[in-house]
Amino acid sequence: MPLKAVHVKNVPNLDQVSDDLNSPTFNTYPHLVRPAEDFMVIGHRGTGMNLLQSSDPRMKSIKENSILAFNAAGKFNLDFIEFDVQVTKDDYPIIFHDNFIFTEDKGVIIEKRVTDLNLDEFLSYGPQREPNKVGKPLFRKTKDGRIFEWKVENDDHLCTLEEVFQKVNHSMGFNIEFKFDDNVVYKEDDLVHAIEVVLRVVFKYAKERSIFFSSFQPDATLLIRKLQNTYPVFFLTNGGSETYTDTRRNSLDEAMNLCLAGGLNGIVSEVRAILRNPGVIRRIKDSNLSLISYGQLNNMREVVYPQLLMGVDGVIVDLVEEITEAVADFGETIEKEKVGEEEEEEGDEIKCSQCQLSNLMKVIPGNIGKGACTLGCMGGIQLKDGCS
């Protein structure tokens, strides 16, 4: 089923398991007018993640995963904002992406695991709420091991999940990602405890806010579904871009199997996995699952448009202003071309022009698109001649 929005009705107890795991009711936002109808744009960590090593000032404009970023995202025609939730040592759900947090003391970099901190210590990093209070300098380690001071143009203090519910405009939907360390083997009791801590805050403050959950941790997604049936649950996967010992994480086919076996509502996939194998879109939709993509390629309108045409339900993006404007333009283009609005007599082929596919191939790295045939000859996509 396409993901639109879900509203809290009768909130279940944490141990309630529904007989019908696909029971959540999806409704459209009455106040949002989406030009490309059901296609969603979701703000990654608010207005986009921070790439401190980047020369692009847009990637260092507003502190990611902050109240400031979430409310700034609300100025654009976004359906949801995505953010990462972890649980502190003293059982407070906090908003932070990385597994480790860094500071500097007398020239020495100090590293601590976020979930080993209590709330007060976590909030002591970076800008402080009190005007005269100075926090610990905040640093970040990149994937290649470099460490940068976390400097952005518009900074903000770290925050809790409770604050996000209370201080972010209620019309904004939340994609809450349960964050777990890929390098840690979790006991089921530990996963259940962390999930329950988060769910208590969600159920207390959500009211009518639209919410869906996601996680890269396969067992966590299954447990989130078992512990509640009010909100949709999505499995996050890079679809094989990296290899894990848990084979459920290594392909979109494995992701589909997990979702169908566990009663999950859909998949959030790295966009390259979808572009390598667009035929999977039809199989996912035929399985009554929703499909959302993420990844830096989603910051290019040339990559977003074909996904809309091929049936992807939405994209998670960093450049929210640029992509929301692009999607508005797409709506006008689709209306003019009538692409995908008419069913063929022999099936529901997705119509996509050769020009659109050609443009896509120009911007996608060679290991993804090795010719228009990759997209044009798979997944029931019907090519149209010419460009509009």
Side-chain angles (χ1 to χ4, degrees), residues 51-53 98 100-105 107-112 137-151:
L51 288 179
L52 303 177
Q53 69 275 29
D98 301 356
F100 294 90
I101 194 167
F102 294 82
T103 190
E104 183 183 56
D105 185 24
V108 177
I109 295 294
I110 300 171
E111 171 187 15
K112 292 188 177 182
L138 183 60
F139 287 74
R140 184 175 219 175
K141 189 174 185 179
T142 61
K143 288 186 176 181
D144 60 9
R146 291 180 292 167
I147 295 177
F148 293 85
E149 187 171 2
W150 205 321
K151 288 185 176 180

Side-chain angles (χ1 to χ4, degrees), residues 60-255:
K60 295 176 284 188
S61 176
I62 303 177
K63 180 71 155 289
E64 69 173 44
N65 275 334
S66 67
I67 302 294
L68 183 63
F70 299 153
N71 282 323
K75 299 175 183 177
F76 305 101
N77 192 26
L78 294 174
D79 297 280
F80 292 82
I81 51 173
E82 179 271 350
F83 54 82
D84 310 275
V85 175
Q86 302 186 59
V87 176
T88 63
K89 189 176 181 179
D90 51 348
D91 287 346
Y92 285 91
I94 50 92
I95 313 301
F96 199 75
H97 174 270
D98 301 356
N99 296 314
F100 294 90
I101 194 167
F102 294 82
T103 190
E104 183 183 56
D105 185 24
K106 299 177 181 178
V108 177
I109 295 294
I110 300 171
E111 171 187 15
K112 292 188 177 182
R113 182 177 288 278
V114 172
T115 53
D116 286 342
L117 305 177
N118 60 35
L119 178 61
D120 288 342
E121 186 174 6
F122 171 73
L123 295 178
S124 70
Y125 288 80
Q128 299 296 290
R129 293 163 173 74
E130 299 81 0
N132 299 323
K133 189 174 181 180
V134 178
K136 299 174 184 177
L138 183 60
F139 287 74
R140 184 175 219 175
K141 189 174 185 179
T142 61
K143 288 186 176 181
D144 60 9
R146 291 180 292 167
I147 295 177
F148 293 85
E149 187 171 2
W150 205 321
K151 288 185 176 180
V152 294
E153 183 179 350
N154 299 284
D155 213 342
D156 197 15
H157 55 73
L158 301 179
C159 61
T160 66
L161 180 61
E162 179 179 336
E163 286 180 291
V164 173
F165 273 108
Q166 292 179 327
K167 297 180 180 180
V168 175
N169 192 298
H170 194 78
S171 65
M172 178 62 70
F174 288 171
N175 167 200
I176 301 176
E177 178 185 339
F178 285 77
K179 192 75 179 178
F180 297 99
D181 190 338
D182 290 340
N183 298 311
V184 173
V185 177
Y186 292 92
K187 297 178 181 178
E188 182 173 313
D189 288 347
D190 294 332
L191 291 174
V192 169
H193 178 75
I195 293 166
E196 287 183 340
V197 168
V198 174
L199 291 180
R200 289 189 188 103
V201 173
V202 172
F203 290 163
K204 182 175 181 179
Y205 294 102
K207 298 181 181 178
E208 292 295 310
R209 190 186 298 271
S210 299
I211 295 169
F212 70 98
F213 298 127
S214 60
S215 182
F216 282 102
Q217 222 289 348
D219 294 322
T221 59
L222 298 176
L223 289 168
I224 297 166
R225 167 49 76 215
K226 289 181 180 179
L227 291 168
Q228 61 85 45
N229 68 346
T230 301
Y231 302 105
V233 183
F234 280 55
F235 178 49
L236 269 160
T237 179
N238 63 33
S241 298
E242 298 178 40
T243 302
Y244 298 89
T245 54
D246 189 334
T247 58
R248 295 174 296 179
R249 301 186 62 180
N250 290 338
S251 72
L252 282 171
D253 285 323
E254 289 290 346

